[in-house]
Amino acid sequence: MTKKINQKLIIFLAFLLLSFFLRFWTLFVSVLDKDESIYILAADSLLNSNLPYIEIWDNKPPGIFILFSLTMLILGNSIVSIRILSIIATTFTSYFLYRIGATIDAKHGEKIGLLAGSLYAIFSLHNDGAAANAEILFAPFVTGAFLLLFQDRKLSNIKVFLIGLILGIGMQIKYLVIMDVLGLVLLGSWFRKEEEVRSQESGFRSQEEELNRKENGKSVNNFQGLIKEIFSFSLFRFYLILGAGLILPAVIIGVIYQFSGYFDEYIYATLIANSKYVGMFNFSWSDLLSRLRKQVLGNILLWLCLFWSPIYLFVFARGKFKQERNFIYLFLWFCCTFLAVLLSKRFYNHYFLQLLPPLCLISGYVIIKSAYLPEKKSVEAHNYGEARELKKTSGKSQIPTLINSQKFSEIIRVSLSKIPVLPSFANIIMFLILIYPFAQAGYNKLTKNWEFIYYRYIQKIDTWDDREAFIAKYLRQRIKSTDYIYVVNYEPIIYYLVPTKIPTKYAFPSHLTAMSQILPTNPLQELDKIMAKNPSYILLAEKDNISPEYRNALNQYLEANYFLETTIQNVRLYRYYGNRSRRVGE
């Protein structure tokens, strides 16, 4: 037992070191994703005793803001703390994938798990996964729940509730976790019925035989109906207990908002705004195919493994579906996560991160099992030759059949441990397959890590390769903490870095400039409120991502009271110089 614990601890620490190495460079960058920036602002507001959606608004569930605020409370109120959180999350996800892999195959499970966890550590950096996005942060909860399911398929009521609770916390980070929940419910129902069938068969076999002898066909049918009724009741209890754990976090959060007097704001931000957001867009097959093409080219090893899987299953594992049923279960999980991507209808890069845990397990499974196919066939061929040789020998010497059988079994047993046929062929295949992604990730991150260490610590350039930090440093030298600035269509992390007062609760730029349909307010009226506070600086990036109405209204304010002070890497900084004239049209 101690040896197993030590082994698991070593593997966990290995994943931690791998994630830290691959993500070390992220500790030096102010912005990796705009979503991450708004989470930091909301978490900082929460640490100042403001509930989410009240001072800083977003249409995400509150779990991610709570997780960020807890991290900043424990590790320090800084962006580095959030990047450490992503390292920890990636480590746990990789470790849980390793544990799942170890349970799904008796012979090669450890190798499958190690490979799946390593692939996740590498490929989670793709698709904007370097940032602490929601998909990175709910992955440990999802994989942890699936681990509990795969480890013990005859789950106790407490474990079922715990699985529901874990997934319920994950859903408070992003609601699309519901599709992972669907996959787990389907698998859980499947496992539950399998276990119940086994137990009922062993417990009632003698009774059923007796009934078959004594009762007529009608009585037998009644007995079968009773069995089905027991199954349905057990499954109903499984759903009920799982659902209780699933909704508990949402109930607790809802009660907090109800007693705080902000329940309507909570419902609007998390439910109504999201329904409006989904309704804003139409499903586009051309967009989906374009994004999928990009995914395949950018993560080619994983998708090639996915495409190879049906060939492995129906050609090389033909007739062995029962032995490969865990592989089929992984496909079911993957299909549910792919449905989550389809439901989003926007197909942003980071949405595809939800596919990564089952995809890495599928890839690890296919690579390991396929690599050992030649070796397995060599063993079978060797055993067949031994059997033929034994048959000839026994025929000549006319040994009794019982002795032949015993000698045959003994030869097979000994030969399995002494076969010298291609002992390292599988390792060579895996090395050739995996050398490119692992070597590329190692080289790229080593280079990036060294660059940041050299310029930040040796050359002492504290804003090297960090435009947002450079702009924030420029602003800090020119304004007071009581002043306002307004970031129109640039990175909202500027509000955190300066720091300064935020003139609007809608700090995520796109909400006002491009997605105002989901807001509970009129964007032009909100702009009037912002400009009434006379922001000392207005930051405007050279991007065409502002609605014409909003840009026209903003331009009138800029022409009346602001001048272009400087431009820093395509970001224009307008400075307030006084209310010399009123807004045009007033």
Side-chain angles (χ1 to χ4, degrees):
M1 177 64 73
T2 304
K3 184 179 180 180
K4 287 185 177 180
I5 293 175
N6 290 339
Q7 179 184 348
K8 291 175 182 177
L9 179 60
I10 291 171
I11 291 173
F12 178 84
L13 292 176
F15 281 129
L16 178 61
L17 290 175
L18 178 61
S19 295
F20 180 78
F21 169 74
L22 293 173
R23 293 175 176 268
F24 177 75
W25 64 274
T26 66
L27 303 176
F28 302 97
V29 185
S30 297
V31 172
L32 294 171
D33 186 83
K34 280 186 178 181
D35 288 344
E36 181 193 61
S37 299
I38 199 67
Y39 304 154
I40 291 173
L41 289 176
D44 186 54
S45 178
L46 183 57
L47 290 176
N48 291 320
S49 304
N50 300 310
L51 286 173
Y53 321 117
I54 309 307
E55 294 296 326
I56 298 294
W57 191 92
D58 194 32
N59 61 321
K60 301 293 189 301
I64 194 164
F65 311 132
I66 296 171
L67 188 59
F68 269 49
S69 62
L70 288 174
T71 303
M72 294 163 75
L73 182 65
I74 296 170
L75 301 179
N77 196 331
S78 68
I79 296 174
V80 173
S81 299
I82 300 307
R83 303 295 157 68
I84 294 175
L85 174 64
S86 66
I87 292 173
I88 294 172
T90 306
T91 300
F92 272 100
T93 303
S94 294
Y95 179 72
F96 290 152
L97 289 176
Y98 153 70
R99 295 288 302 278
I100 293 173
T103 64
I104 62 176
D105 189 81
K107 187 175 182 181
H108 302 298
E110 290 281 332
K111 299 182 184 71
I112 292 170
L114 286 171
L115 181 55
S118 301
L119 290 174
Y120 183 86
I122 291 173
F123 285 97
S124 62
L125 286 165
H126 298 189
N127 292 320
D128 302 324
N133 265 313
E135 290 79 8
I136 294 294
L137 298 180
F138 70 62
F141 296 98
V142 170
T143 51
F146 273 91
L147 173 60
L148 290 175
L149 180 68
F150 277 103
Q151 269 186 332
D152 186 4
R153 301 188 180 186
K154 192 175 181 181
L155 294 167
S156 65
N157 293 336
I158 295 177
K159 281 194 174 181
V160 173
F161 179 80
L162 181 61
I163 289 174
L165 182 63
I166 292 171
L167 289 173
I169 295 173
M171 279 188 61
Q172 292 307 307
I173 296 176
K174 190 170 183 177
Y175 287 145
L176 282 176
V177 171
I178 190 66
M179 301 316 299
D180 290 280
V181 175
L182 174 62
L184 187 137
V185 167
L186 292 175
L187 289 181
S189 302
W190 201 336
F191 295 165
R192 199 90 172 170
K193 284 195 173 185
E194 285 180 350
E195 291 298 326
E196 286 172 344
V197 167
R198 291 193 194 99
S199 62
Q200 293 295 340
E201 284 178 349
S202 62
F204 293 107
R205 186 175 293 113
S206 59
Q207 296 180 25
E208 192 172 357
E209 290 174 357
E210 185 69 23
L211 285 171
N212 286 333
R213 285 196 302 268
K214 294 183 177 181
E215 301 294 334
N216 55 28
K218 184 176 180 180
S219 299
V220 173
N221 290 335
N222 289 339
F223 178 79
Q224 292 174 348
L226 177 62
I227 296 298
K228 291 181 180 179
E229 194 175 318
I230 292 173
F231 287 170
S232 61
F233 173 74
S234 179
L235 280 177
F236 175 75
R237 184 175 60 186
F238 170 75
Y239 299 146
L240 189 65
I241 296 173
L242 183 73
L246 193 67
I247 66 171
L248 182 59
V251 170
I252 293 173
I253 291 172
V255 169
I256 292 173
Y257 273 94
Q258 179 65 39
F259 280 96
S260 301
Y262 296 113
F263 187 75
D264 291 342
E265 288 83 350
Y266 164 68
I267 293 297
Y268 187 93
T270 58
L271 297 179
I272 299 175
N274 280 304
S275 63
K276 289 183 176 181
Y277 179 74
V278 173
M280 282 173 57
F281 311 103
N282 295 321
F283 187 90
S284 171
W285 284 105
S286 61
D287 189 19
L288 173 62
L289 294 175
S290 174
R291 298 285 182 150
L292 283 176
R293 179 178 176 274
K294 182 179 178 181
Q295 288 299 312
V296 171
L297 295 177
N299 307 275
I300 192 164
L301 174 64
L302 300 183
W303 286 89
L304 283 178
C305 290
L306 183 68
F307 299 148
W308 172 255
S309 297
I311 300 174
Y312 167 80
L313 195 60
F314 292 104
V315 177
F316 297 103
R318 184 175 54 187
K320 300 180 180 179
F321 288 165
K322 188 174 182 180
Q323 294 92 320
E324 302 288 347
R325 62 184 183 275
N326 287 327
F327 187 44
I328 300 172
Y329 297 156
L330 296 178
F331 263 100
L332 177 60
W333 181 9
F334 174 82
C335 290
C336 289
T337 58
F338 189 77
L339 184 57
V341 175
L342 297 182
L343 289 175
S344 69
K345 296 196 298 187
R346 290 293 288 166
F347 315 128
Y348 291 128
N349 287 337
H350 62 89
Y351 288 0
F352 287 91
L353 289 170
Q354 192 167 354
L355 306 176
L356 205 52
L359 188 55
C360 287
L361 281 169
I362 290 171
S363 300
Y365 192 99
V366 168
I367 291 173
I368 297 296
K369 299 284 269 190
S370 298
Y372 281 93
L373 279 174
E375 186 172 325
K376 181 180 178 183
K377 288 188 176 183
S378 298
V379 171
E380 290 174 350
H382 182 85
N383 291 342
Y384 179 71
E386 289 285 348
R388 289 190 63 182
E389 215 35 58
L390 176 61
K391 186 176 180 180
K392 290 178 182 178
T393 305
S394 62
K396 291 178 180 178
S397 58
Q398 299 187 4
I399 301 174
T401 305
L402 179 61
I403 299 176
N404 289 345
S405 176
Q406 291 174 345
K407 186 176 180 181
F408 174 76
S409 300
E410 180 64 20
I411 290 175
I412 292 299
R413 185 185 65 79
V414 174
S415 64
L416 285 174
S417 60
K418 295 183 178 180
I419 294 173
V421 182
L422 298 173
S424 60
F425 189 68
N427 295 331
I428 295 173
I429 293 176
M430 285 189 289
F431 177 78
L432 294 175
I433 292 174
L434 300 174
I435 185 172
Y436 176 73
F438 279 88
Q440 183 190 43
Y443 174 76
N444 288 345
K445 297 308 174 283
L446 179 63
T447 303
K448 211 160 191 176
N449 292 343
W450 167 246
E451 285 179 344
F452 275 101
I453 291 172
Y454 176 76
Y455 287 105
R456 293 294 181 92
Y457 293 105
I458 299 177
Q459 293 294 325
K460 304 294 184 181
I461 306 174
D462 58 351
T463 60
W464 181 82
D465 199 28
D466 194 337
R467 176 175 56 173
E468 290 73 28
F470 184 78
I471 292 175
K473 185 176 182 179
Y474 177 89
L475 291 173
R476 281 197 300 268
Q477 297 171 352
R478 289 163 175 81
I479 62 174
K480 303 186 294 293
S481 60
T482 54
D483 292 337
Y484 289 95
I485 62 172
Y486 176 41
V487 180
V488 180
N489 64 338
Y490 186 53
E491 303 291 346
I493 198 66
I494 296 295
Y495 291 126
Y496 181 81
L497 294 174
V498 173
T500 186
K501 297 177 71 174
I502 305 175
T504 176
K505 65 191 291 185
Y506 307 106
F508 191 75
S510 299
H511 286 159
L512 283 173
T513 62
M515 299 189 301
S516 59
Q517 299 95 318
I518 71 173
L519 300 182
T521 188
N522 182 283
L524 297 182
Q525 291 178 359
E526 188 65 22
L527 177 62
D528 291 337
K529 293 178 182 178
I530 293 170
M531 303 310 295
K533 297 172 183 176
N534 298 326
S536 297
Y537 279 90
I538 292 179
L539 277 65
L540 188 64
E542 295 180 2
K543 299 177 183 177
D544 189 20
N545 58 347
I546 303 177
S547 66
E549 297 82 6
Y550 199 89
R551 180 175 286 278
N552 290 336
L554 177 65
N555 285 340
Q556 293 179 37
Y557 280 113
L558 292 176
E559 292 171 3
N561 300 309
Y562 289 83
F563 69 95
L564 180 61
E565 182 174 273
T566 188
T567 300
I568 301 176
Q569 299 183 33
N570 298 323
V571 179
R572 288 174 284 178
L573 278 66
Y574 292 89
R575 186 164 187 170
Y576 179 76
Y577 63 80
N579 192 16
R580 298 198 315 173
S581 61
R582 295 173 62 83
R583 177 184 167 190
V584 177
E586 288 188 343

